[in-house]
Amino acid sequence: MSKKTSDFFVERLKAWGVTRIYGYPGDGINGVLGALQRAEKRGEGIEFIQVRHEEMAAFMAVGHAKFTGEMGVCLSTGGPGATHLLTGLYDAKMDHAPVLAIAGQAETTARGSSYQQELNLDRVFSDVASFVQETATPSQLRHLVDRGVRLAKAQNGVAVLIIPKDVQDEPWEEPAHAHGFTHSAVGYQRPRVIPYPEDLQRAAEVLNAGKRVAILIGAGARGAAVEVVQAANLLGAGVAKALLGKDVLPDDAPFVTGAVGLLGTQPSAEMMKSCDTLLMIGSGFPWTEFLPEEGQARGVQIDIDPAMLGLRYPTEVNLHGDAAETLRALLPLLEQKTDRSWQEDIAVQVQAWWKVMEERAMASASPVNPQRVVWEMSPLLPDNAIVTSDSGSCANWFARDYRVKQGQRASLSGGLACMGAAVPYAIAAKFAEPEKPVIALVGDGAMQMNNMAELITIQKYWQQWATPQLVVCVFNNQDLNQVTWEQRVMEGNPRFAASQQLPDVHYAQFAESLGLKGIFVDDPEQLGAAWAEALAADRPVVLEVKTDPEVAPLPPHITLKQAKAFMASMVKGDRGAGRVLADTASQLLNQVIPGKS
């Protein structure tokens, strides 16, 4: 049998190092699925992971990219299958994760006829993808694969290849050595990107002149942890972390202030308010109100993406380069600061902050304080654990109560802040690192939205993994909690039950019905034992905790306007808001004092 175009396509992906594809079948992509099957029979296959929904396939591709540093790959049929990929692909775009999406399409002979499931997918994907092309002929596919994969890898972006159904089944044709054809190649190696010496010198002059230096790191600083620590020690600086950079440095380092922003810590907020110099490394942190006021601090920024330079703060020196390489070149130019009082004061604040966090976590609630769920988890996790979080109120506890250790990995949907990413991220992490324990922190809203179905995917594949340790921890508070608190604090409106109240679903029992392990906790004193049991189980676990929706996920500092709005929500009859834990409520109410902001 002659080689089909789809067979060449699979071979080319294999040549590019693709080892796993997350996807869902359909007639528009059946030719490629057939080629995957034939390659598998020859012992030359690419692992295909069948998900429950194409959106989850895209999220898994993002998770794969984040936790491995490799390009993630997802696949769908055309029409609705392709449009289902969009949310996960936007997650990839906004978090700079390299992902290749493969989509089917109606036959070329039917294009333009309003055929069944015929969409102009090149237009659909044009905003999310840095490269998107539809294949018209077999000989075109070679350079489309090569260029798409190379650009996804080089630009940390999204590439989309659309392959019509009939082209998949046509005999493969190598591009001719003739006018109108092009001959492409496999291979890409990321270059060494480093600024010019004179720019490094200008940056050093700014940093050396500072007396109170703050460093902000994001996911782009991953791989530069040693250099960041060296810079902090030379400059006597504190280091705050954007949420995607949470796992770059461990939280037990005395000068690490933790997360910054709405989900951040008080030490991070205070450091940004008081610094006279800001060094940003690999971060696109969006909330500029949590950075120094304009004119307060001199700034230096390092980023591999020039589009992010000088975007969030008016930095004086912008260094286009890889974080580790640039810091290595910069470090010899930095002077050791003899006055360590700034960094020592930061360490005192951090130590006090962790005591406050413990007090908050251990405060009584009805029935379980959600902060305590994560606080109890942290010390029990092995040093090689991988933690994912969903968006929503659980992201606050992930950001503030999870004390990440050296060697652990953690991530969530950052730029898109999309609900529904935690479980697919966790599944991808488990496939990529099957010997490591993986934990997903998920709100009940995200579980009901799309994550419950992916428990079926876990059930389908878990026995293939080297270890069964995968724990999905569900915060069951029957409330879309983050939005409830945004309504109260940002808008001054009481909780709107019609939009916020969720049905009570028995998540642990659902897990048991699938053959997984389910653990239900509604007593805070059982949390430690429940976590230990979950991490030691002989199969994946759904740990369902009945948490109190009235524990406020408050930012580290509240404006007077927000405090007044919260008070207004109680005046308007929000009974739940009046039952907020005393320690968190007092933080907010104290801000009502005139003159505070």
Side-chain angles (χ1 to χ4, degrees), residues 133-428:
Q133 288 289 329
E134 181 173 326
T135 309
T137 66
S139 57
Q140 181 191 16
L141 187 59
R142 173 173 153 184
H143 72 259
L144 294 187
V145 175
D146 293 344
R147 193 174 187 207
V149 173
R150 186 174 288 111
L151 286 174
K153 288 172 172 282
Q155 298 179 354
N156 289 327
V158 176
V160 180
L161 300 179
I162 305 158
I163 313 176
K165 185 177 179 180
D166 53 345
V167 174
Q168 297 172 42
D169 290 329
E170 288 181 17
W172 166 243
E173 296 178 7
E174 290 283 354
H177 187 68
H179 183 74
F181 292 85
T182 188
H183 298 257
S184 59
V186 170
Y188 173 75
Q189 183 63 43
R190 187 173 296 278
R192 183 174 186 248
V193 182
I194 188 169
Y196 285 109
E198 53 267 33
D199 294 320
L200 292 166
Q201 184 61 51
R202 288 195 303 123
E205 289 170 1
V206 171
L207 296 170
N208 288 333
K211 298 184 182 301
R212 301 183 304 278
V213 181
I215 299 176
L216 173 61
I217 59 174
R222 185 167 293 108
V226 171
E227 291 80 7
V228 171
V229 170
Q230 290 173 335
N233 284 331
L234 284 170
L235 297 170
V239 182
K241 300 186 285 188
L243 204 49
L244 288 175
K246 181 175 178 64
D247 61 352
V248 173
L249 289 182
D251 283 320
D252 58 4
F255 53 82
V256 172
T257 61
V260 68
L262 286 171
L263 279 60
T265 71
Q266 187 69 31
S268 291
E270 291 300 324
M271 180 174 69
M272 291 299 169
K273 283 182 181 179
S274 305
C275 69
D276 64 9
T277 308
L278 175 64
L279 171 59
M280 298 174 65
I281 306 170
S283 173
F285 175 74
W287 296 312
T288 57
E289 67 268 30
F290 291 97
L291 296 178
E293 290 190 15
E294 190 169 355
Q296 169 194 318
R298 302 177 72 184
V300 174
Q301 186 174 0
I302 301 170
D303 208 292
I304 194 67
D305 182 359
M308 302 307 295
L309 291 170
L311 185 63
R312 308 300 189 202
Y313 191 79
T315 41
E316 189 172 330
V317 182
N318 291 309
L319 301 177
H320 179 197
D322 172 80
E325 293 284 356
T326 301
L327 284 171
R328 287 185 201 122
L330 181 62
L331 285 169
L333 306 177
L334 299 180
E335 299 169 358
Q336 175 81 46
K337 295 193 185 299
T338 56
D339 184 354
R340 315 303 290 184
S341 59
W342 166 253
Q343 191 180 63
E344 289 168 357
D345 184 57
I346 287 171
V348 171
Q349 291 183 49
V350 169
Q351 188 176 20
W353 172 256
W354 284 118
K355 291 180 180 177
V356 169
M357 294 307 295
E358 183 175 16
E359 290 172 1
R360 291 187 191 174
M362 293 304 173
S364 61
S366 178
V368 179
N369 186 337
Q371 298 169 108
R372 184 168 176 175
V373 177
V374 180
W375 185 266
E376 296 260 12
M377 174 195 77
S378 284
L380 297 176
L381 294 184
D383 291 349
N384 64 343
I386 300 172
V387 179
T388 69
S389 173
D390 216 273
S391 297
S393 59
C394 68
N396 290 269
W397 323 133
F398 165 83
R400 291 198 282 262
D401 292 273
Y402 167 38
R403 299 184 69 165
V404 65
K405 304 173 188 173
Q406 186 171 354
Q408 292 178 345
R409 293 296 312 275
S411 195
L412 77 176
S413 175
L416 192 61
C418 183
M419 290 175 64
V423 172
Y425 271 25
I427 292 171

Side-chain angles (χ1 to χ4, degrees), residues 42-93:
R42 298 193 303 269
E44 302 169 352
I46 297 172
E47 185 179 23
F48 181 81
I49 306 301
Q50 180 206 72
V51 302
R52 305 308 104 206
H53 191 283
E54 292 90 350
E55 180 183 332
M56 300 291 99
F59 273 128
M60 289 180 201
V62 179
H64 177 92
K66 286 186 173 184
F67 291 122
T68 66
E70 303 168 354
M71 182 185 71
V73 184
C74 55
L75 172 149
S76 77
T77 186
T83 59
H84 284 163
L85 294 173
L86 276 171
T87 301
L89 295 183
Y90 271 107
D91 186 48
K93 176 183 179 177

Side-chain angles (χ1 to χ4, degrees), residues 25 47 78 120 211 489 541 547:
E47 185 179 23
N120 291 319
K211 298 184 182 301
V489 176
V541 176
T547 56

